Every structure is written in C-alpha cells, then in structure tokens.
Amino acid sequence: MDRRETYQKRLAGVRRLLKERGLDGAMFTSYENRRYYCGFTGSNGYLIVTEDGVSLITDKRYTTQAQQQTVDVEIFDHAANRLQLVADTVKHMGITRMVMESCMTVEDYFPLKERLGNVDICFEQEYFLEQRMIKDAEEIACTRAAIAAAEAGFEKLVSRLQIGMTEKDLADELHYLVSREGAEAMSFGTIVGSGARGALAHAFPTEKKIENGDMVVVDFGVMKDGYCSDMTRTLLFGDVSPEHMRIFRLVQESQDKAVEAVRPGVLAKDVEDAHRAVFLREGLDDYALRGLGHGIGLQIHECPRIVIGNETVLRPGMIFTVEPGLYFPDDCGVRTEDDVLVTEDGVENLSHTPHEIHIG
Ligand SMILES: [Mn+2]
C-alpha cells in the first residue's frame, strides 16, 4: 500500500464519522492524530478534514517538512495570526458543523470559537481512538521494528550486566544500546527497580547499587517511525531466594495464561481474568495491580485497556501489552511484559526475549 492509499483509508474513517453525525468538517490538534491522518510529524499544526479536502496550518519551521511528509494536503503557514488563519481556512473550506478533538486546549478553544462565528462545534475523541485501536499493515510493521530495536539492544545489555552496577548505570547503558539499534527515542522514562525498589511499580533509576540476590524490574520501550514498543523483564541477579523465585514463576504463569486467552471475539476483561485467576488461587491478588495491559501505537498507552470489567471485544489488528506483576512493599517486585498482536485466528506474541534471565 502506498502512502496516498494509507492516508486515504484512514481519512475515510473521519469521513464516515462526518456522514454519520451530519457534520461537514473535522479538526485535529493532537500530535498523534495529525500524524495518523496525514503523516505530518511537526509539533505545531491544525489539520482540517472535509469530505473532499485536507488542509494543514502550521508555521514556517515546518512548511518544507509538511510538504515532504504529506500527500494531497494543502499547507498554510501562519505568522502571528495563527487562530485567525485557522478560522478563515475553516470558513473557506465551507465548514458549518465541525468536530474537534476533546483534548483541544481551552487556551485555543475560546478565541477560536469567537473567530469561527456561527460554525457549530462538537467534540469527539473516543471514535478516533477506536479507529487507531485496529492497526493497519504499516503500523504493525513499525511496531515490529520498534520491538526489534528494543530487543536487540536489551540482548546486548544483558551480556554487560553485573552485580554492583547501579540502576542508573543499567538504564544509561540500555539507552545507548537501543539507540545504536535504531531507536528514535525512548517511548517513556525507563523504569529500573532493584530489590525492594521493584515493589514501586514505576520506579525511576537511582544510584542504588544492584546487589546479589536482587530481582530487578526493567521496563522500557522505544519508538520507531513514531510507533512505541513496551517490554518488561525482571532480571535475576546472583542467588535469588527460593521464595522470590516462587513469586517470579507465578507471575510468568499468569502471563502465559493471559496470552493463551487472547483471540478475536474474546473480551478484554476475560484476558484480565485469566491472568488474575493465578494470583487469586495463591491468595496473592492483593499484591497485584488492577489492570493487565494497554494498547500501544503512536502513544504508549492506547486502547484497548486490558482492565477489570472492560467489555471491549478483541479484534484482529489490536496490539497490546500483557504485563502481570506482583508487588510486595519493602520486599520485592516482579513484572513481565510482552506485546501481543490479535490475529485472524488467535494471537501472535511479538516479543521474543526470554523471560527468565540470570545475571552473574
Ligand atoms: Mn506497559
């Protein structure tokens, strides 16, 4: 599929919404939706879509880039009169009833509304998130590439680890290695929690030294062509106690059960329940979090949310994390996380890094 076709297909989703709701225009102000619907990656822009046209208003820093990145998009650059130009373009495109993203800032909304005069405005976000929830072939390829860069860097990291290095040493080394493997950026602030700090589900790397017997939660992701990967491994340093190894293996069993439950037609909550059953059986559910995973894509947290009670039906093309964990305050934490793709007849685990990794 060429780029024109990719974006035409995505824009068809917006145009379906316009038709369904009797609207004649849509405006996108978030980075992710601008990028999704036209390919533009600049930090500033107003993307306006009608039945037969697409306009992008940005500033001079980005006009050349926007021309290179988009197909069949009319590009305008604004000087100081940003919102006036946006309003004029909306009117010029013949829009009378327009949908905006509900993440639109209040700072933009009120002055813009004033300049739009009698254009009717409504808000939407869920529809666009639901469209982005089903990944097309290009998005799946980008996600695979992000995972590949992350895993290649991580594999090199493992061979360089030793007892006595700090959490921050580990994180710094990881960042360098994934960058050498082609990562554009990290998809979020890397989490490294060693020993008792592993119980902090979102521990940031500190100068604490990793000790013999520590389990170390490493949770990170990288971006490739804008798409995020997300993985967690709990590394086993030296002589981990039998009790901690028991926790480690339960978390792995929980993940295996959850991945086995994934297939089209199943509800998100059923996958959540499958992982939680293991913790309930062991009387350890109080030490787990209240969700199992989340969609990944242009954002690190997207739909579907794999949380208790979510009745979203799994469909081919969804990509989400499966990341069970157990957290014992002042003692230890374990989490393991893979990214999975819902296929036509089941599931493909996109992550290939071994789950049990011993260091030293
Ligand atoms: Mn995650």
Side-chain angles (χ1 to χ4, degrees):
M1 194 151 54
D2 69 1
R3 282 201 306 150
R4 172 176 278 113
E5 241 182 290
T6 298
Y7 294 114
Q8 281 308 322
K9 241 181 137 175
R10 293 179 190 175
L11 287 166
V14 177
R15 289 169 175 147
R16 232 176 355 257
L17 176 78
L18 298 183
K19 202 165 239 170
E20 272 169 31
R21 306 220 181 142
L23 306 167
D24 50 20
M27 176 153 79
F28 296 99
T29 44
S30 70
Y31 169 84
E32 290 80 14
N33 281 339
R34 281 196 308 261
R35 180 167 190 160
Y36 182 73
Y37 289 116
C38 81
F40 174 60
T41 65
S43 64
N44 170 43
Y46 300 79
L47 181 72
I48 305 169
V49 179
T50 63
E51 186 48 46
D52 52 6
V54 184
S55 299
L56 175 69
I57 295 145
T58 182
D59 65 78
K60 268 246 153 68
R61 286 174 299 169
Y62 290 125
T63 41
T64 306
Q65 177 183 328
Q67 271 148 13
Q68 291 167 350
Q69 291 180 321
T70 65
V71 189
D72 298 339
V73 174
E74 202 169 351
I75 292 151
F76 301 91
D77 72 87
H78 64 73
N81 58 349
R82 180 170 55 98
L83 294 177
Q84 190 58 50
L85 181 62
V86 173
D88 291 346
T89 307
V90 168
K91 290 181 192 164
H92 184 76
M93 293 173 86
I95 296 170
T96 59
R97 295 197 64 209
M98 179 165 72
V99 59
M100 290 180 177
E101 287 185 74
S102 34
C103 64
M104 171 93 175
T105 62
V106 169
E107 195 181 16
D108 265 9
Y109 173 69
F110 287 103
L112 187 58
K113 185 175 163 52
E114 204 178 297
R115 287 170 174 80
L116 283 170
N118 52 12
V119 175
D120 278 341
I121 295 167
C122 62
F123 291 97
E124 177 58 50
Q125 199 67 262
E126 213 165 296
Y127 180 91
F128 308 120
L129 291 176
E130 278 175 15
Q131 192 185 349
R132 277 171 37 205
M133 181 163 74
I134 309 298
K135 270 64 186 178
D136 59 34
E138 188 175 316
E139 295 181 286
I140 293 170
C142 292
T143 307
R144 285 184 197 278
I147 293 169
E151 293 198 309
F154 191 76
E155 192 183 338
K156 293 208 166 93
L157 174 77
V158 164
S159 67
R160 299 184 184 192
L161 295 179
Q162 37 191 319
I163 294 165
M165 71 193 297
T166 69
E167 293 172 345
K168 193 157 183 314
D169 290 336
L170 186 158
D172 291 346
E173 195 83 8
L174 174 65
H175 297 160
Y176 173 76
L177 290 168
V178 293
S179 179
R180 299 313 302 165
E181 295 295 336
E184 297 161 357
M186 305 309 289
S187 25
F188 56 90
T190 297
I191 293 165
V192 182
S194 65
R197 293 192 75 254
L200 305 165
H202 276 203
F204 53 90
T206 68
E207 297 294 345
K208 177 191 172 295
K209 283 196 168 121
I210 297 171
E211 293 165 51
N212 181 35
D214 275 357
M215 296 194 289
V216 182
V217 177
V218 181
D219 184 349
F220 73 102
V222 311
M223 294 169 88
K224 191 88 180 161
D225 290 321
Y227 282 80
C228 298
S229 71
D230 194 357
M231 75 178 269
T232 307
R233 288 295 179 267
T234 297
L235 300 170
L236 306 162
F237 278 73
D239 311 304
V240 176
S241 74
E243 181 50 23
H244 284 178
M245 281 309 298
R246 189 178 84 87
I247 303 295
F248 180 89
R249 299 221 157 92
L250 283 174
V251 170
Q252 192 51 55
E253 183 189 349
S254 163
Q255 189 191 41
D256 294 343
K257 289 275 159 36
V259 173
E260 279 167 27
V262 176
R263 61 183 174 277
V266 161
L267 307 182
K269 68 173 185 183
D270 296 337
V271 177
E272 222 287 338
D273 291 349
H275 106 279
R276 195 167 298 281
V278 174
F279 300 152
L280 286 166
R281 183 192 73 203
E282 301 293 324
L284 292 174
D285 188 47
D286 282 350
Y287 300 97
L289 302 179
R290 300 295 97 186
L292 175 67
H294 53 88
I296 53 172
L298 287 167
Q299 284 174 298
I300 186 63
H301 294 125
E302 297 202 350
C303 297
R305 313 275 162 175
I306 313 300
V307 294
I308 295 174
N310 183 358
E311 306 215 337
T312 301
V313 179
L314 300 188
R315 288 157 56 197
M318 288 181 176
I319 300 180
F320 55 84
T321 69
V322 176
E323 47 177 317
L326 287 173
Y327 308 89
F328 299 88
D330 303 318
D331 180 9
C332 71
V334 175
R335 177 163 67 254
T336 187
E337 176 178 31
D338 287 347
D339 302 332
V340 302
L341 166 69
V342 182
T343 61
E344 291 299 327
D345 55 2
V347 60
E348 179 185 345
N349 193 332
L350 302 176
S351 308
H352 299 102
T353 299
H355 293 107
E356 184 168 331
I357 300 172
H358 294 267
I359 310 291

